[in-house]
Amino acid sequence: MTPSPLRAKLVVAALSALLTVAGTQVATAAAPAPAGDVTIAAPATFTHPGVLVSRPQLEFMRTKVLANAQPWKAAYDQMMGSKYASLTRTPKPRAVVECGSYSNPNHGCTDEREDAIAAYTLSLAWYVTKDARYADKAIQIMDAWSPVIKDHTNSNARLQTAWSGSSWPKAAEIIRYTYTGWPAANATRFATMLRTVYLPEIQAGLANTNGNWELSMMEASIGIAVFLEDKAAYDKAVSIFRTRLPAYVYLTSDGALPKTPPGSGIDTRAEIVSYWHDQSTFQDGVSQETCRDFTHTGYGLAAAAHIAETAHHQGQDLWGENQDRMRHAYGLHARYQLEAMPSWLCGGTRKQNLGPTTEVAFNALNTRLGIGMANTQRYTEQQRPQGTDNLFIAWETLTHAQNPA
């Protein structure tokens, strides 16, 4: 079969990306910041804990749980009743995690993701209870993986790296900066793991994929950059995010057609429509993956929200920069999760569900910025407490519901 022009371009882009990552230095370029824009710069001093959740947010969460206030107490009970909060969990590290498409094969993929979520869960349990057993268990899991893991392989290697690499620094930030029991040498070894095993696999991005991949890669990259206090890695993640999000969520101000990821080779209307899963009518908030399914779209939007939230804790206003794009994206998908799809969108058919993906964005845009989001609010409140997708999203009603910090 003769490949389509779009497929041929994507193959070329993929080979270029692989050659770049295989080299001694990752060189995939993100578009430069606008001229004169100084907000790209990483903070002079990083704020810790500051990956997705900040100390003021943790304090707000803890106060609400201890007061038995809702929805936080129900969210906390949900978390503590999960397998991830168990004090008897046995971590399952391995040197090479091999993940194919849809985790086939699955050699350590689920174990790695779930151990990382467990470390984060236990760190939250520690912060609420101040029971050192939870902190020590989180440390045990992180210390089990850090001297063992060396590589991720097969077709889903970068996505697997991104998902696990999103949860690890969330846990490590809380433990390192709110608990005194993690030996410095072990924390340094964990940092080395993030720098040498995770960051090189994801920090260049991957323009020719569905957008949830690259957004997840940038979420992990910015979280790792904060933990490592690596300003160059932080700036690179923000720079790629600034071009990927506009190529993932359409606004009418973009023009007649959606923007495309730099380096993807997608530059004709036919190629764009194909890349957008055959959606040819574009309205505010439609995502590149809407007509693939709402689940993968939710992954991409959640990762974008996590990036903006981490940047917020570091003093950078990515929420303000992207508030229209984000509010329309969440509003459209929340609405059509709750209502019948219109005929202009995906032929009137919705696939799969949005999942526990709205709390962080709804809190940032509605609670902090005061933006009305009726559809997102309705969906978010119906889904509470939002738990975990068992991939990289966990306990966001607990950490972010109505959280003003």
Side-chain angles (χ1 to χ4, degrees), residues 6-21:
L6 173 57
R7 181 168 295 179
K9 287 186 176 185
L10 294 183
V11 169
V12 170
L15 289 172
S16 176
L18 287 171
L19 288 171
T20 299
V21 173

mmCIF file of all heavy atoms in Angstrom, residues 6-21:
data_model
loop_
_atom_site.group_PDB
_atom_site.id
_atom_site.type_symbol
_atom_site.label_atom_id
_atom_site.label_comp_id
_atom_site.label_asym_id
_atom_site.label_seq_id
_atom_site.Cartn_x
_atom_site.Cartn_y
_atom_site.Cartn_z
ATOM 1 N N LEU A 6 0.648 12.479 4.428
ATOM 2 C CA LEU A 6 0.747 12.797 5.857
ATOM 3 C C LEU A 6 1.530 11.715 6.583
ATOM 4 O O LEU A 6 2.433 12.008 7.371
ATOM 5 C CB LEU A 6 -0.647 12.922 6.470
ATOM 6 C CG LEU A 6 -0.684 13.095 8.003
ATOM 7 C CD1 LEU A 6 0.118 14.305 8.424
ATOM 8 C CD2 LEU A 6 -2.121 13.180 8.491
ATOM 9 N N ARG A 7 1.228 10.439 6.286
ATOM 10 C CA ARG A 7 1.940 9.360 6.976
ATOM 11 C C ARG A 7 3.434 9.410 6.663
ATOM 12 O O ARG A 7 4.278 9.208 7.518
ATOM 13 C CB ARG A 7 1.360 8.012 6.576
ATOM 14 C CG ARG A 7 2.043 6.832 7.269
ATOM 15 C CD ARG A 7 1.277 5.557 7.071
ATOM 16 N NE ARG A 7 -0.020 5.659 7.718
ATOM 17 C CZ ARG A 7 -0.922 4.678 7.698
ATOM 18 N NH1 ARG A 7 -0.652 3.545 7.091
ATOM 19 N NH2 ARG A 7 -2.094 4.830 8.290
ATOM 20 N N ALA A 8 3.751 9.716 5.420
ATOM 21 C CA ALA A 8 5.165 9.808 5.054
ATOM 22 C C ALA A 8 5.851 10.915 5.828
ATOM 23 O O ALA A 8 6.975 10.765 6.312
ATOM 24 C CB ALA A 8 5.286 10.059 3.554
ATOM 25 N N LYS A 9 5.182 12.051 5.957
ATOM 26 C CA LYS A 9 5.770 13.162 6.714
ATOM 27 C C LYS A 9 5.959 12.790 8.179
ATOM 28 O O LYS A 9 6.961 13.133 8.799
ATOM 29 C CB LYS A 9 4.884 14.407 6.610
ATOM 30 C CG LYS A 9 4.929 15.078 5.247
ATOM 31 C CD LYS A 9 4.148 16.378 5.272
ATOM 32 C CE LYS A 9 4.272 17.119 3.949
ATOM 33 N NZ LYS A 9 3.619 18.433 3.994
ATOM 34 N N LEU A 10 4.985 12.081 8.742
ATOM 35 C CA LEU A 10 5.091 11.705 10.153
ATOM 36 C C LEU A 10 6.220 10.712 10.363
ATOM 37 O O LEU A 10 6.915 10.752 11.378
ATOM 38 C CB LEU A 10 3.768 11.112 10.641
ATOM 39 C CG LEU A 10 2.583 12.078 10.683
ATOM 40 C CD1 LEU A 10 1.365 11.377 11.263
ATOM 41 C CD2 LEU A 10 2.903 13.333 11.482
ATOM 42 N N VAL A 11 6.409 9.806 9.406
ATOM 43 C CA VAL A 11 7.523 8.857 9.512
ATOM 44 C C VAL A 11 8.850 9.599 9.513
ATOM 45 O O VAL A 11 9.751 9.318 10.315
ATOM 46 C CB VAL A 11 7.468 7.832 8.364
ATOM 47 C CG1 VAL A 11 8.756 7.024 8.313
ATOM 48 C CG2 VAL A 11 6.279 6.897 8.550
ATOM 49 N N VAL A 12 8.991 10.573 8.606
ATOM 50 C CA VAL A 12 10.224 11.354 8.560
ATOM 51 C C VAL A 12 10.437 12.094 9.874
ATOM 52 O O VAL A 12 11.535 12.108 10.438
ATOM 53 C CB VAL A 12 10.190 12.347 7.382
ATOM 54 C CG1 VAL A 12 11.353 13.315 7.468
ATOM 55 C CG2 VAL A 12 10.236 11.595 6.060
ATOM 56 N N ALA A 13 9.353 12.712 10.383
ATOM 57 C CA ALA A 13 9.472 13.434 11.647
ATOM 58 C C ALA A 13 9.842 12.505 12.788
ATOM 59 O O ALA A 13 10.649 12.833 13.654
ATOM 60 C CB ALA A 13 8.157 14.158 11.957
ATOM 61 N N ALA A 14 9.246 11.302 12.789
ATOM 62 C CA ALA A 14 9.545 10.342 13.860
ATOM 63 C C ALA A 14 10.999 9.903 13.808
ATOM 64 O O ALA A 14 11.673 9.816 14.842
ATOM 65 C CB ALA A 14 8.624 9.131 13.740
ATOM 66 N N LEU A 15 11.502 9.605 12.601
ATOM 67 C CA LEU A 15 12.896 9.198 12.482
ATOM 68 C C LEU A 15 13.832 10.303 12.925
ATOM 69 O O LEU A 15 14.836 10.063 13.598
ATOM 70 C CB LEU A 15 13.189 8.818 11.027
ATOM 71 C CG LEU A 15 12.556 7.504 10.539
ATOM 72 C CD1 LEU A 15 12.765 7.346 9.045
ATOM 73 C CD2 LEU A 15 13.133 6.324 11.288
ATOM 74 N N SER A 16 13.487 11.535 12.582
ATOM 75 C CA SER A 16 14.309 12.666 13.003
ATOM 76 C C SER A 16 14.359 12.785 14.509
ATOM 77 O O SER A 16 15.412 12.998 15.106
ATOM 78 C CB SER A 16 13.755 13.965 12.390
ATOM 79 O OG SER A 16 14.478 15.076 12.857
ATOM 80 N N ALA A 17 13.181 12.596 15.147
ATOM 81 C CA ALA A 17 13.130 12.679 16.612
ATOM 82 C C ALA A 17 13.939 11.574 17.257
ATOM 83 O O ALA A 17 14.658 11.788 18.238
ATOM 84 C CB ALA A 17 11.672 12.615 17.083
ATOM 85 N N LEU A 18 13.829 10.351 16.700
ATOM 86 C CA LEU A 18 14.577 9.239 17.274
ATOM 87 C C LEU A 18 16.076 9.442 17.152
ATOM 88 O O LEU A 18 16.840 9.156 18.076
ATOM 89 C CB LEU A 18 14.169 7.941 16.566
ATOM 90 C CG LEU A 18 12.778 7.406 16.919
ATOM 91 C CD1 LEU A 18 12.406 6.262 16.001
ATOM 92 C CD2 LEU A 18 12.712 6.981 18.372
ATOM 93 N N LEU A 19 16.519 9.952 15.999
ATOM 94 C CA LEU A 19 17.941 10.214 15.824
ATOM 95 C C LEU A 19 18.419 11.272 16.790
ATOM 96 O O LEU A 19 19.522 11.194 17.342
ATOM 97 C CB LEU A 19 18.208 10.655 14.374
ATOM 98 C CG LEU A 19 18.083 9.536 13.316
ATOM 99 C CD1 LEU A 19 18.156 10.149 11.927
ATOM 100 C CD2 LEU A 19 19.163 8.481 13.499
ATOM 101 N N THR A 20 17.564 12.254 17.052
ATOM 102 C CA THR A 20 17.954 13.312 17.973
ATOM 103 C C THR A 20 18.115 12.782 19.379
ATOM 104 O O THR A 20 19.097 13.043 20.065
ATOM 105 C CB THR A 20 16.889 14.435 17.953
ATOM 106 O OG1 THR A 20 16.826 14.952 16.625
ATOM 107 C CG2 THR A 20 17.266 15.558 18.913
ATOM 108 N N VAL A 21 17.096 11.985 19.814
ATOM 109 C CA VAL A 21 17.157 11.462 21.172
ATOM 110 C C VAL A 21 18.316 10.502 21.334
ATOM 111 O O VAL A 21 18.918 10.390 22.390
ATOM 112 C CB VAL A 21 15.814 10.771 21.520
ATOM 113 C CG1 VAL A 21 15.916 10.064 22.862
ATOM 114 C CG2 VAL A 21 14.710 11.816 21.570
#
